[in-house]
Amino acid sequence: MACNFAFVLIAACALMASTISAAPSKTAIKPRNQELREAIEEYRVRFDDLHKEKDQFLQFARTGLWATIRRMNEEVLVDLGETRNIVEYGFDDVRLEISLLIVEGNHNEQCLLDLVYEIVAEKVQLGEEISRCSAGTTDTKDALPESFYEFLNLLQRLSNSIAETPLYTFVSQNSVTDPERHLEFLQESFEETDRAWNEEALPLMQFELDAMEYNRPLIVADNAECLQEIEDRQQAFEDAIRQRIPSCL
C-alpha cells in the first residue's frame, strides 16, 4: 500500500513538474510579428515627431522670408512716397510765382501760361518715370524669392510625407518573409531623413535667407537711385522754368 502511494506521489510530482515547465514564461521571446508591430509604432511616433519638428523649421523660414520682404517693401514705399511728394508739390512755389505775375496783368500772359502747361506736362512724365521705377523694383522683388518659395513648397511636401514613411515601407518591404530587413529599412530611412534635413535642407534654407537679406539693401538702393534721377530732373526743370520767367515779363 505504501509502495503504491509512493508511486502515485512520485507520478503526481512528475506531472506537476512537467506542467510547470510547460507553462509560458514571462521572459519568453516575443514573436517576430509582435516585435515588428512595436517597432513600427515606435518609428511612427519618431517620424511624426520629426515631421512636426521640420514643420516648425519651415514655419520659421517662412517667417524670416516674409519679414525680409516686408521690410524691403516698406523701405521701397517710403522712397517712392517721398519722390511722389516732390513731383506732386515741388512745382507749387514756381507755379504760385507765375500765377501772381498773371494776376498783375501787365506781363505776357500767354507766355506765362505756356510755362504752366509745360510744368503740368512735366509732372505727368515724371509720374510715369516713378511708375517705371516702381515696376522695375517690383519685378526684381518678386523674382528674388521665387526660387525660395518653390524650395519651401518642395520641403513642405517632403515634410508632410515624413509622417507617412512607416506606412509606405510596407510597399517596398516584405514584413512577413523578412521582418528584420523591414526594421533595418525603417531605421535607415529615419537616419537618412534626419541627416538630409540637417546637412542639406537646413544649410540651403539658411543660404536662401542670407541671400534675401543680402539682396534687400541692394534692391532698395537701386530703387532709390532710380528715384533720385527723377528728383534731380524735377529740380533741373524747375530751375529752367525760373530762368525763363523773365522772358515773359
Side-chain angles (χ1 to χ4, degrees):
M1 183 70 176
C3 290
N4 291 337
F5 179 79
F7 176 80
V8 172
L9 182 60
I10 293 172
C13 290
L15 178 61
M16 184 179 295
S18 64
T19 303
I20 293 175
S21 63
S25 173
K26 293 183 179 180
T27 59
I29 299 176
K30 300 177 183 178
R32 286 183 175 181
N33 288 341
Q34 180 64 21
E35 287 182 348
L36 181 60
R37 284 195 295 269
E38 292 179 359
I40 290 176
E41 176 60 21
E42 175 188 348
Y43 275 103
R44 184 194 66 77
V45 174
R46 295 181 67 183
F47 272 106
D48 190 57
D49 290 342
L50 188 64
H51 158 65
K52 293 177 181 177
E53 175 187 334
K54 302 317 174 187
D55 259 8
Q56 292 177 352
F57 168 66
L58 291 175
Q59 185 58 43
F60 165 78
R62 288 191 184 91
T63 301
L65 175 62
W66 293 335
T68 298
I69 293 176
R70 178 178 179 179
R71 183 179 177 186
M72 180 166 53
N73 287 337
E74 290 174 348
E75 293 174 337
V76 167
L77 287 175
V78 167
D79 292 340
L80 286 170
E82 292 177 353
T83 302
R84 177 192 173 280
N85 288 337
I86 290 174
V87 171
E88 182 67 24
Y89 306 110
F91 293 110
D92 285 358
D93 290 343
V94 69
R95 290 179 66 178
L96 178 59
E97 292 179 22
I98 295 173
S99 298
L100 293 176
L101 291 173
I102 293 175
V103 171
E104 289 180 4
N106 55 354
H107 304 295
N108 188 336
E109 181 176 341
Q110 187 59 50
C111 179
L112 293 172
L113 286 174
D114 288 342
L115 294 180
V116 174
Y117 296 148
E118 289 184 33
I119 291 174
V120 172
E122 180 66 11
K123 285 182 64 175
V124 172
Q125 293 184 17
L126 292 176
E128 293 175 351
E129 287 299 305
I130 292 177
S131 298
R132 181 183 62 81
C133 290
S134 176
T137 301
T138 299
D139 290 342
T140 304
K141 290 194 295 90
D142 291 346
L144 183 61
E146 184 175 349
S147 62
F148 196 8
Y149 280 126
E150 293 177 356
F151 185 48
L152 278 175
N153 291 335
L154 172 62
L155 291 182
Q156 185 63 67
R157 290 194 296 271
L158 293 176
S159 175
N160 293 340
S161 69
I162 288 177
E164 304 298 330
T165 300
L167 181 61
Y168 293 156
T169 59
F170 281 94
V171 177
S172 60
Q173 302 297 312
N174 193 329
S175 59
V176 176
T177 60
D178 196 356
E180 290 84 0
R181 177 55 193 152
H182 194 166
L183 293 177
E184 290 176 2
F185 186 81
L186 279 171
Q187 181 179 2
E188 293 169 359
S189 297
F190 182 85
E191 292 175 352
E192 176 59 22
T193 301
D194 192 40
R195 183 205 64 78
W197 274 88
N198 293 330
E199 298 181 11
E200 298 177 19
L202 193 150
L204 282 174
M205 186 70 68
Q206 189 61 54
F207 173 80
E208 292 281 359
L209 287 172
D210 291 343
M212 285 290 298
E213 190 59 30
Y214 174 81
N215 284 285
R216 178 188 57 77
L218 299 180
I219 293 175
V220 173
D222 286 344
N223 180 70
E225 182 179 353
C226 183
L227 295 174
Q228 185 60 50
E229 294 178 0
I230 296 174
E231 295 177 15
D232 293 342
R233 173 175 166 178
Q234 186 276 336
Q235 186 61 55
F237 190 85
E238 180 182 352
D239 293 341
I241 291 292
R242 291 184 182 279
Q243 292 174 3
R244 292 169 58 190
I245 289 177
S247 65
C248 298
L249 303 181

